[in-house]
Amino acid sequence: MHEWTLQEAARKVRDKEISSRELTRALLDRIERINPKINAYVTVLHDKAMAEATARDETQAKGEALGVLHGVPLGLKDIFCTRGIRTTCGSRILSYFLPPYDAAVAEKVAASGAVLLGKHNMDEFAMGSSTETSHFGPTRNPWATGRIPGGSSGGTAAAVAAGLCYAGVGTDTGGSIRQPASLCGVVGVKPTYGRVSRYGMIAFASSLDQGGPVTRTVPDAAMMLGVIAGHDRRDSTSVDLPVPDYPAAAERPVKGMKVGLPREYFEVEGLDPAVRGAMEKALDALVVQGAQAVEISLPHTSFAVATYYIIAPAEASSNLARYDGVRYGYRAKVAGGLIEMMSRTRAEGFGAEVKRRIMIGTYALSAGYYEAYYGKAQKVRTLIRRDFDAAFAKVDAILTPTSPTPAFRLGEKTGDPLTMYLSDIFTIPCNLAGIPGISVPCGMSAEGLPIGAQLLAGHFREETLFTAAAAIERALPHPPVAPLEGA
Amino acid sequence: MAITREEVLHVARLARLALSEEEVDRLRDQIGNILDYIRQLDTLDTREVVPTSHAVEMGTPFRDDSVCPFGDKEAILSNAPDRFEDFFRVPRILED
């Protein structure tokens, strides 16, 4: 039953083919067997999930109104605050943090009737592309456990791919939903900036961060986005627009859609031939169903990674100033005064990648450098955004690879930060422009590693993404769950 | 772009990070490499370009400046690394 889609699981509970208790028990048992192999969960809520499932069954027995995900077990990236449930953000500094309130996403998931199984592993403070920077150890790719699952939402993508939940919610600052979805053979959506409330979502780079669904099918992703999207007064960047019927968009024909192929994305050095081949299949799938391919140009693409590695660390260095050992989180034991306590707390509480980004960001924002770095990057960000504006005047969607290569090996890129950063080259421009993006499986490498296609659309055009991604999924079906050895 | 040891130590002080000698050396190399990579932005003429601080154009929403008490004070204070009654206790602020 772990192979069911989110929509199937929701329907079966609603139709009383299975109880929420049975479904939740089955998934908790599977997590117990499989999680030690892949480390996708940092916290599993054994008793709490069963109590929640019991309550859902009782609600249903009384004939009360049911939410769209009534009784269905899900997981959340450990970046979303959950009241009274440890929320670590993958960091030692928050390893015992018990949030006093729920994130908006956690509230919405609960209000939909879902059951929370636990919290997913992630790169520390979402800084990474492999889930290797987690204080709680790396997550492994369920398709090949010697390889990384991508990151930073690697725990979420691995849990969904391994059938350890029916859906999850991750966050994406420079590709952190789409890249792990691609490497784990699942669907991941980065919504338009402002579509999903960031209230209670631990901040990394506030002008780029956005929460979004990770699921095994496109219709499931559409359903999940419908649950978590919507205006929230508590997030001043949340946009007050109605939430469309996303699942209906996944049913629409793709006929007549204009799909742009940005030549700069296909000229990138290091684009794996298997990825190139899978992209051709994805394009064929769209064209066969009546879409029209159009060559386009996004001329500032090659500047996106450099722009991102100023803006994201600068905002992170400011956001992470709050971890000082005073009000919550880890505090170092020191004999000295306040400043020494804070400096030692941060030295011991943060890992190497987080410290590196705090240093880069602090440097870029320090006196005399602000204009040359942050100011310059914000101007280049405008050029990148204009590239997309010009492209979307001609096409409805843009098709690109999600990641230049399939999943790499654990430890392969940890030695050189810049090499790791370049693995996000196709996903970063979308965050800089604030537009929505989706990654959908479109093939396998010769070694049996999943490959994802990325689709991008204009602001608040998530429906276009679901229509196009569903067309790819129909033509290139992928296995529902990773065939873990001995599972 | 080379960055000096002194600059690394200065930035670490601003960021309140106590770095080991080995970390200072490693970060000096790594930050230098990353700044080299970032220098490619200098090849773009951006004199006439308006900066983007927010990717989705919208006004600043306003709301009433009203007090909303948070009910569960204990849930906040119980996270404190060092608590005295309803206070967060910290090491001494003024040096002797």
Side-chain angles (χ1 to χ4, degrees), chain A residues 285-350:
Chain A
L286 292 171
V287 171
V288 164
Q289 293 176 68
Q292 184 192 340
V294 182
E295 192 178 308
I296 59 165
S297 172
L298 297 166
H300 296 94
T301 299
S302 65
F303 297 100
V305 175
T307 305
Y308 178 84
Y309 277 97
I310 298 171
I311 291 176
E315 295 181 8
S317 71
S318 167
N319 276 325
L320 271 60
R322 73 191 68 177
Y323 305 104
D324 56 9
V326 173
R327 290 152 302 148
Y328 51 87
Y330 174 79
R331 177 189 288 192
K333 289 175 183 61
V334 290
L338 182 70
I339 302 290
E340 191 190 339
M341 182 281 281
M342 289 178 175
S343 302
R344 294 276 358 141
T345 292
R346 292 163 63 78
E348 293 171 18
F350 292 138

Side-chain angles (χ1 to χ4, degrees), chain A residues 433-482:
Chain A
I435 58 173
I438 190 169
S439 181
V440 59
C442 68
M444 288 280 187
S445 73
E447 309 105 297
L449 300 171
I451 296 169
Q454 174 177 245
L455 289 152
L456 306 171
H459 291 133
F460 302 103
R461 302 267 185 239
E462 282 84 357
E463 290 166 278
T464 304
L465 299 181
F466 290 128
T467 300
I472 293 176
E473 186 174 71
R474 276 193 298 273
L476 304 168
H478 51 94
V481 168

Side-chain angles (χ1 to χ4, degrees), chain A residues 247-481:
Chain A
E251 310 272 320
R252 276 178 218 139
V254 78
K255 194 171 185 323
M257 187 182 285
K258 285 187 185 154
V259 178
L261 299 164
R263 75 176 73 92
E264 293 81 3
Y265 282 58
F266 294 91
E267 285 165 0
V268 159
E269 214 180 305
L271 180 61
D272 190 291
V275 174
R276 196 182 287 276
M279 293 311 301
E280 283 164 16
K281 292 211 173 70
L283 180 62
D284 286 348
L286 292 171
V287 171
V288 164
Q289 293 176 68
Q292 184 192 340
V294 182
E295 192 178 308
I296 59 165
S297 172
L298 297 166
H300 296 94
T301 299
S302 65
F303 297 100
V305 175
T307 305
Y308 178 84
Y309 277 97
I310 298 171
I311 291 176
E315 295 181 8
S317 71
S318 167
N319 276 325
L320 271 60
R322 73 191 68 177
Y323 305 104
D324 56 9
V326 173
R327 290 152 302 148
Y328 51 87
Y330 174 79
R331 177 189 288 192
K333 289 175 183 61
V334 290
L338 182 70
I339 302 290
E340 191 190 339
M341 182 281 281
M342 289 178 175
S343 302
R344 294 276 358 141
T345 292
R346 292 163 63 78
E348 293 171 18
F350 292 138
E353 182 62 31
V354 172
K355 288 185 203 178
R356 185 155 49 237
R357 299 214 198 176
I358 289 174
M359 289 291 290
I360 295 165
T362 306
Y363 178 83
L365 293 177
S366 63
Y369 292 116
Y370 181 91
E371 258 321 300
Y373 289 106
Y374 196 65
K376 180 79 183 183
Q378 285 189 313
K379 289 178 179 174
V380 182
R381 186 175 182 183
T382 303
L383 299 177
I384 291 165
R385 197 165 56 105
R386 283 188 196 156
D387 284 355
F388 282 106
D389 289 346
F392 289 123
K394 286 190 269 184
V395 299
D396 304 299
I398 294 173
L399 177 70
T400 83
T402 308
S403 166
T405 66
F408 44 92
R409 288 188 178 78
L410 261 82
E412 194 176 322
K413 296 192 181 185
T414 43
D416 179 7
L418 208 48
T419 312
M420 184 75 89
Y421 297 171
L422 287 168
S423 66
D424 294 334
I425 189 158
F426 296 139
T427 47
I428 279 174
C430 163
N431 300 77
L432 291 170
I435 58 173
I438 190 169
S439 181
V440 59
C442 68
M444 288 280 187
S445 73
E447 309 105 297
L449 300 171
I451 296 169
Q454 174 177 245
L455 289 152
L456 306 171
H459 291 133
F460 302 103
R461 302 267 185 239
E462 282 84 357
E463 290 166 278
T464 304
L465 299 181
F466 290 128
T467 300
I472 293 176
E473 186 174 71
R474 276 193 298 273
L476 304 168
H478 51 94
V481 168

Side-chain angles (χ1 to χ4, degrees), chain A residues 74-143:
Chain A
L74 306 182
L76 294 176
K77 185 179 185 178
D78 208 16
I79 198 167
F80 293 103
C81 284
T82 42
R83 187 174 169 197
I85 297 168
R86 184 177 81 143
T87 300
T88 69
C89 220
S91 183
R92 182 183 189 195
I93 213 158
L94 288 178
S95 43
Y96 299 103
F97 176 52
L98 296 175
Y101 65 98
D102 275 321
V105 162
E107 284 175 351
K108 281 179 172 282
V109 165
S112 76
V115 170
L116 185 62
L117 290 170
K119 306 294 289 288
H120 294 147
N121 199 14
M122 56 182 285
D123 279 300
E124 185 179 9
F125 284 101
M127 297 178 192
S129 310
S130 66
T131 317
E132 291 171 290
T133 73
S134 170
H135 174 63
F136 303 94
T139 295
R140 290 164 181 274
N141 192 312
W143 293 88

